[in-house]
Amino acid sequence: MTLLVHWLTATLAIAHLIAAFLAAGHALISKPDPRSAWGWISVCLLFPLAGSLLYYLFGINRVRRRARQMFEPEPLRTCGSHPRLSLPEPLESLALTADALTGRVALAGNQLQTLHNGDEAYPAMLAAIAQARDRVWLSTYLFNRDRTGHEFLDALAAASARGVEVRVLIDGIGQLYGLSLMHWTLRRHGIRVASFFPPRLLPPMLYINLRNHRKTLIIDDHLGFCGGMNIGDQHRLERPGKSPVSDLHFGLRGPIVRQLAESFATDWHTSTGETLKLPEPSTPLAAGAICRVITDGPDADLDKLFLILLNAIAVARRQILLMTPYFIPGPELAAALKTAALRGVDVSILLPARSNLRFVDYACRHHLPDLLQAGVRVYLQPPPFAHHKLMVIDDCYAQIGSANLDPRSLRLNFEIAVEIYDSPLASMLAREITMRRDQAQALAAAELAARHLPTRLRDAFFWLFSPYL
């Protein structure tokens, strides 16, 4: 018995060393950030076998975007036969940077409609589905089995029954939230549904950190929706249920719809292998805005949104307005915001007073004192939980979309944003933020400094896990 115990111990020790050095070596070679490499190497070496298993499950980016080269990019700075109008500085510099990073053209002739909460967004989306003639492509992170979910189910099934090409893409982990399993119900109604990287046992695949967080709806060739809202009752504040959520969604018309469709078709091909036919480009609308889709994710798109965000902050001269539900800035983003405040830019960040993820709130509080001391102003919005994702620079540039300002969105998730080069639209969105800022509570540095030691230790503890929150 003693010999057997010694043999098992020696075997496990050898297995641990082999697995740990293989995993640590992979992290050393493949990780672009030394902090990430050090963290995973330490986990692999210090936790026998479990550390290597954790790295295998969560540390390796296995994403291979088979559809990456499906579509030929449009020539930069053109929209069919319509050249992009030149922009005033510093917007022209920002646009040129995004040109180079995204490979997508900034398209003129687009219109945007702001939709408040599900009370405005869902009726507009359902009406658009009811009027669709050619295609309805819906991508969402959550599709809840509730009243709202069944309204969308009925609308999608009716569109499919009348011959419209209906495709629904739901995130493979998001579809499991609340055990709603709405994708099975959609399939039973004859709707083509795909799961983005769903977990499976054989062959083992568990992409916890590689989620498709994009929320888009494409109707035919002329109408798209994009923003931060999932499909669920919680966004309908006129009939609030459990855990109500306030948010903004946006309706888009014009040539930008094709870029939204391209993003969906790429994700659909990645999930199913099926190649979808893209809609024809829409005719630019009169007096429309210049817009561009930015896709971001842990693949060839990695850091594109982050770098454009940093560049937008760098060119700001007067004001930076940010709304985000989760705010855990890395050192680069924090430095950019502090530098902007120190050079006299009004930097205002609106956060929920309490989000649905308390541990993210704790980690966020650990970051805030340095920002406040540099002159960044932080405001806490009262309930309901504010899930808005919006940035406006100098009343002339804006970003909308699905991304939060945290490492999960900027490094791990597949996200989508639309940037807007248009003073009237940017000013409208700035008024939206300042209206909410006037109703929020300014956070004082003294308030954070007065936190008791156990509270500060708790906040710092959760901050240690901020790369994965």
Side-chain angles (χ1 to χ4, degrees):
M1 187 67 179
T2 303
L3 288 175
L4 178 60
V5 170
H6 286 306
W7 182 82
L8 287 174
T9 302
T11 301
L12 289 174
I14 293 171
H16 162 58
L17 289 175
I18 293 173
F21 278 103
L22 287 174
H26 187 277
L28 180 63
I29 292 172
S30 64
K31 293 300 174 185
D33 188 334
R35 293 166 298 182
S36 176
W38 269 117
W40 279 116
I41 289 171
S42 299
V43 167
C44 292
L45 295 177
L46 294 178
F47 296 94
L49 295 180
S52 301
L53 178 61
L54 288 171
Y55 180 73
Y56 174 79
L57 293 175
F58 304 115
I60 300 176
N61 184 355
R62 302 176 181 84
V63 178
R64 295 294 182 266
R65 299 305 299 268
R66 297 169 293 172
R68 187 64 203 159
Q69 301 300 326
M70 282 172 55
F71 309 112
E72 290 296 326
E74 299 174 76
L76 288 178
R77 302 174 61 80
T78 67
C79 177
S81 60
H82 301 269
R84 170 165 73 76
L85 301 176
S86 61
L87 295 165
E89 288 293 346
L91 290 184
E92 182 67 15
S93 298
L94 181 55
L96 289 173
T97 301
D99 285 349
L101 283 169
T102 66
R104 287 192 177 95
V105 60
L107 301 171
N110 301 284
Q111 294 179 354
L112 179 143
Q113 179 186 13
T114 302
L115 301 167
H116 296 81
N117 307 313
D119 308 296
E120 292 182 1
Y122 295 152
M125 296 166 72
L126 291 167
I129 295 172
Q131 296 167 9
R133 297 182 177 181
D134 299 318
R135 66 180 55 79
V136 174
W137 294 350
L138 172 64
S139 177
T140 185
Y141 183 66
L142 303 177
F143 198 131
N144 292 344
R145 185 188 292 275
D146 53 22
R147 179 176 173 182
T148 296
H150 280 90
E151 287 179 356
F152 274 86
L153 167 66
D154 293 341
L156 293 167
S160 180
R162 66 176 184 269
V164 176
E165 178 191 326
V166 178
R167 299 288 186 272
V168 178
L169 180 63
I170 307 176
D171 181 74
I173 295 295
Q175 69 185 8
L176 303 178
Y177 278 32
L179 298 177
S180 68
L181 301 179
M182 195 64 170
H183 58 292
W184 294 116
T185 305
L186 290 163
R187 287 194 179 101
R188 285 199 299 271
H189 283 75
I191 299 169
R192 288 291 305 278
V193 183
S195 299
F196 190 90
F197 290 160
R200 68 186 183 207
L201 294 177
L202 295 173
M205 186 170 72
L206 186 61
Y207 293 134
I208 295 294
N209 287 324
L210 305 176
R211 306 318 326 154
N212 191 337
H213 199 235
R214 297 166 182 164
K215 294 101 173 177
T216 56
L217 174 63
I218 295 93
I219 304 295
D220 298 336
D221 61 356
H222 64 278
L223 177 59
F225 295 86
C226 182
M229 273 189 235
N230 295 294
I231 307 298
D233 284 348
Q234 68 271 24
H235 289 293
R236 296 187 118 143
L237 300 188
E238 291 182 359
R239 56 175 196 228
K242 183 179 180 182
S243 304
V245 179
S246 173
D247 207 343
L248 290 174
H249 219 63
F250 300 90
L252 296 156
R253 293 181 181 273
I256 194 67
V257 174
R258 181 181 167 93
Q259 289 190 354
L260 292 174
E262 180 183 313
S263 172
F264 178 91
T266 301
D267 290 339
W268 183 266
H269 187 276
T270 298
S271 302
T272 68
E274 179 187 6
T275 299
L276 300 177
K277 182 181 178 181
L278 288 174
E280 294 298 320
S282 297
T283 303
L285 302 173
I290 296 174
C291 298
R292 182 199 336 255
V293 164
I294 306 168
T295 50
D296 191 78
D299 59 351
D301 283 336
L302 182 63
D303 284 342
K304 289 182 179 180
L305 182 58
F306 178 65
L307 291 174
I308 293 171
L309 176 65
L310 290 182
N311 197 28
I313 293 171
V315 303
R317 297 174 176 176
R318 183 176 57 83
Q319 188 180 62
I320 299 171
L321 298 173
L322 294 168
M323 282 202 302
T324 181
Y326 312 114
F327 182 63
I328 307 178
E332 298 88 354
L333 179 55
L337 292 169
K338 289 190 290 185
T339 301
L342 291 170
R343 68 173 184 268
V345 177
D346 171 18
V347 182
S348 294
I349 303 173
L350 277 70
L351 308 175
R354 182 183 180 121
S355 78
N356 62 329
L357 301 174
R358 291 299 290 157
F359 53 86
V360 175
D361 295 342
Y362 301 149
C364 172
R365 299 300 189 266
H366 183 75
H367 283 279
L368 294 180
D370 285 345
L371 291 169
L372 292 171
Q373 290 173 9
V376 175
R377 296 193 291 173
V378 178
Y379 298 84
L380 302 181
Q381 300 180 80
F385 168 41
H387 195 247
H388 313 85
K389 308 152 197 297
L390 185 58
M391 177 179 75
V392 180
I393 303 292
D394 290 343
D395 284 351
C396 61
Y397 174 84
Q399 275 188 23
I400 63 173
S402 64
N404 306 307
L405 294 182
D406 62 9
R408 177 167 293 279
S409 273
L410 297 176
R411 299 285 299 182
L412 299 175
N413 284 347
F414 292 89
E415 304 282 2
I416 192 167
V418 176
E419 55 176 0
I420 302 162
Y421 298 86
D422 184 79
S423 293
L425 282 180
S427 296
M428 178 194 70
L429 295 173
R431 289 192 295 272
E432 183 82 35
I433 298 177
T434 53
M435 177 192 69
R436 296 175 185 277
R437 184 179 66 181
D438 293 341
Q439 300 170 354
Q441 176 186 357
L443 184 63
E447 182 179 345
L448 288 174
R451 290 173 300 163
H452 298 300
L453 179 60
T455 301
R456 285 186 284 138
L457 288 173
R458 177 203 64 191
D459 295 349
F461 172 78
F462 283 102
W463 165 77
L464 289 175
F465 302 94
S466 58
Y468 300 100
L469 294 182

